Amino acid sequence: MQDQAQTLTITRPDDWHLHLRDGAALASTVPWSAAQFARAIVMPNLKPPVVDTAQALEYRARILAARVPGSDFQPLMTLYLTDRTPPQEIARAKASGAVFGVKLYPAGATTNSDSGVTDLRNVHGVLEAMQREGMPLLVHGEVTDSQVDVFDREAVFIERHLQAIRRDFPGLKIVLEHITTSHAVDFVLANDARDARGAPLLGATITAHHLLHSRNAMFRGGLRPHYYCLPVLKRETHRLRLLDAACSGDPRFFLGTDSAPHARGAKEADCGCAGCFSALHALELYAQAFEQAGRLDRLEGFAAHFGADFYGLPRNAGRVELRRQAWTVPLSLDYMDTSIVPVDAGETLHWRVAPAGAAATQA
Ligand code: NCD
Ligand code: ZN
């Protein structure tokens, strides 16, 4: 068989969409992500959300303080766009050097999105400022209209809103986040405009769980809340399109885990929260997906090159080694004073990140 290499060494990867939460959670979430990634785009959907540069800088300091000694993990901060975000905030955010994107949550679309945008007309001035400043718009691409079937909300968002944003702000950098459908893949492929540096103006992140699972995973033998996230897993044909896109070597598709930790009790409940936790073993999950597609050779571009190139940041200098080694994802982990269930708990994975220090860090 091909691809029976026992080790795979790639440039240190980054996570271009991550939820770290705040407070006591940081003591767990920051070390988990830092063990796998050099940098991460940190989502602003705290309670209350991170709406201005001052709050982003304070949040950044709390994240840095939660690193284990010697860690060089860098959080790349984002602002949460609201109906009331002043356009002048964008220049402040840019000048801080710490804010790398502004997040659009349609109001009510997902966990902690109540302060999101109710009508895109309310943020035109902000989008103009972002286009001018070269500040990327990070989009949770789902309509919230309860008349629209939950499995169609991404496709309908693209039709109703994203086409118009692209048309009205042709120079705006946009990341369509955690894409889940062939419609999203098609939309990205149809937009190949470049910025002044030659980097794509439109990109998309893809999670590991959307590469590995179709919606069947939520119903395998019963209701499986730990596979419930937003945008929700879709049918197998969509998963195959996403895997194809991720493995294509097209620099518009890059890694974003959307690891979204929720304590076990908040997921195993009458009205369980949306979010899959994958930070612990993200790279191993992606390696599993790429190996299934016979394209382990494309993992490095997707995980470590294309996101940095999109954001105009240097690629990481260090390397990380994965080893072929069967291991079982833990059923549960300690998380604050409770526990958390990772994606694919109890399942066997075939790759494992070598511990830092083994081969991980030399430039
Ligand atoms: C995220 C969360 O829990 O913060 N949940 C999720 O299902 N992905 C929010 C989000 O990114 O949609
Ligand atoms: Zn998210």
Side-chain angles (χ1 to χ4, degrees):
M1 243 175 78
Q2 291 278 290
D3 261 345
Q4 276 304 323
Q6 299 302 304
T7 62
L8 175 66
T9 303
I10 63 170
T11 303
R12 259 178 103 192
D14 303 304
D15 185 350
W16 300 98
H17 180 129
L18 174 65
H19 300 268
L20 289 173
R21 312 305 189 203
D22 202 356
L26 295 177
S28 300
T29 59
V30 173
W32 279 327
S33 285
Q36 297 240 324
F37 297 105
R39 297 170 288 196
I41 285 275
V42 179
M43 288 296 121
N45 63 330
L46 305 181
K47 279 185 196 165
V50 178
V51 296
D52 62 32
T53 308
Q55 289 170 350
L57 292 173
E58 285 161 20
Y59 183 30
R60 179 172 181 273
R62 295 194 293 278
I63 294 167
L64 292 174
R67 297 184 302 185
V68 298
S71 169
D72 61 355
F73 177 72
Q74 286 300 322
L76 310 177
M77 309 312 292
T78 60
L79 301 187
Y80 186 116
L81 186 60
T82 77
D83 286 342
R84 291 166 305 283
T85 303
Q88 311 83 277
E89 190 59 37
I90 301 305
R92 275 194 289 275
K94 184 80 183 181
S96 76
V99 176
F100 292 85
V102 174
K103 178 72 191 246
L104 167 65
Y105 287 107
T110 185
T111 308
N112 302 345
S113 63
D114 306 345
S115 322
V117 173
T118 60
D119 188 328
L120 280 164
R121 282 173 298 197
N122 296 335
V123 295
H124 265 216
V126 187
L127 297 182
E128 257 161 37
M130 290 170 60
Q131 178 169 253
R132 205 167 49 240
E133 297 282 348
M135 177 66 78
L137 177 70
L138 316 182
V139 181
H140 184 110
E142 287 192 290
V143 292
T144 53
D145 183 345
S146 60
Q147 301 296 308
V148 178
D149 189 278
V150 69
F151 292 98
D152 296 334
R153 287 183 187 176
E154 182 173 278
V156 173
F157 181 89
I158 292 169
E159 262 171 50
R160 280 195 198 162
H161 303 298
L162 198 56
Q163 310 265 25
I165 300 177
R166 181 69 298 167
R167 186 193 62 229
D168 296 345
F169 302 95
L172 180 63
K173 299 264 295 184
I174 300 176
V175 185
L176 185 50
E177 302 210 278
H178 42 51
I179 60 170
T180 63
T181 59
S182 60
H183 309 85
V185 172
D186 289 338
F187 181 77
V188 174
L189 291 178
N191 285 273
D192 59 3
R194 305 275 158 157
D195 64 17
R197 291 179 294 104
L201 274 166
L202 177 75
T205 57
I206 310 181
T207 78
H209 45 286
H210 288 95
L211 291 178
L212 287 168
H213 298 292
S214 74
R215 61 194 187 183
N216 283 359
M218 286 186 296
F219 307 105
R220 186 161 45 89
L223 192 57
R224 304 269 189 158
H226 300 289
Y227 288 96
Y228 171 59
C229 67
L230 288 171
V232 71
L233 294 170
K234 303 297 192 300
R235 64 166 68 241
E236 178 69 0
T237 47
H238 293 294
R239 182 185 80 85
L240 293 172
R241 262 326 278 299
L242 297 174
L243 193 56
D244 231 36
C247 294
S248 68
D250 187 318
R252 288 171 291 182
F253 300 101
F254 45 87
L255 185 156
T257 62
D258 194 17
S259 180
H262 291 280
R264 178 195 280 270
K267 297 225 22 112
E268 299 173 6
D270 286 350
C271 185
C273 293
C276 292
F277 170 65
S278 61
L280 177 82
H281 51 333
L283 208 49
E284 288 92 338
L285 293 168
Y286 282 107
Q288 185 113 342
F290 275 66
E291 182 159 67
Q292 266 175 26
R295 294 271 30 162
L296 267 179
D297 60 319
R298 296 265 168 87
L299 180 64
E300 182 175 35
F302 176 83
H305 295 167
F306 303 152
D309 298 350
F310 179 91
Y311 279 90
L313 294 170
R315 295 178 181 178
N316 296 311
R319 318 267 302 158
V320 56
E321 183 181 277
L322 287 124
R323 296 179 183 158
R324 186 181 296 283
Q325 176 193 330
W327 64 289
T328 305
V329 179
L331 292 173
S332 156
L333 295 151
D334 293 338
Y335 181 55
M336 299 186 283
D337 54 356
T338 165
S339 63
I340 190 164
V341 179
V343 167
D344 284 344
E347 303 291 326
T348 302
L349 297 181
H350 303 303
W351 288 93
R352 188 131 212 205
V353 173
T361 45
Q362 72 272 38

